[in-house]
Amino acid sequence: MRFNKKITLITLVSPTGRNEPRETAKANVWADVSDVGAVTKLTALTTGQELSLSVIMWRREYKGYTHAEYLGKRYKIVQTGSANNELYIKLLLERG
């Protein structure tokens, strides 16, 4: 596995009222970032999700983050799951 791209993981907490969400945690990590496969993208569309990216990273570095930034764009982490082995985690990201 080649982790050759850097992403920023963020935890956003939504306050009450009309205030903007605030960051409570942030970490820069190395990962393998790619487009989502066609089958995964179509399956997600049936549930109302528009997946944009797939990220594979070290599992120990993921601590329940809610969002990610990559190439200046913010994404919501909508699903986590297994990767090639137990050392890695796969994140599915949706723009927004």
Side-chain angles (χ1 to χ4, degrees):
M1 186 68 49
R2 288 183 36 185
F3 296 152
N4 57 358
K5 296 178 179 134
K6 202 149 208 180
I7 65 167
T8 302
L9 299 173
I10 304 165
T11 298
L12 291 179
V13 174
S14 297
T16 57
R18 296 182 182 203
N19 296 328
E20 290 290 317
R22 63 183 172 87
E23 293 180 9
T24 58
K26 195 173 197 177
N28 293 315
V29 298
W30 289 98
D32 179 26
V33 181
S34 62
D35 288 327
V36 178
V39 173
T40 304
K41 190 173 266 195
L42 287 174
T43 303
L45 280 173
T46 63
T47 63
Q49 295 176 334
E50 277 191 57
L51 298 180
S52 302
L53 295 174
S54 173
V55 175
I56 298 177
M57 57 178 278
W58 292 107
R59 183 177 296 276
R60 70 177 181 272
E61 293 181 323
Y62 179 73
K63 295 176 173 64
Y65 294 99
T66 60
H67 292 75
E69 284 183 0
Y70 179 67
L71 298 178
K73 295 179 184 171
R74 185 167 282 181
Y75 298 87
K76 182 177 181 183
I77 300 171
V78 293
Q79 189 175 344
T80 62
S82 302
N84 298 347
N85 66 42
E86 303 233 354
L87 297 175
Y88 306 132
I89 189 169
K90 182 178 186 178
L91 311 176
L92 295 177
L93 308 180
E94 180 179 67
R95 183 79 167 94

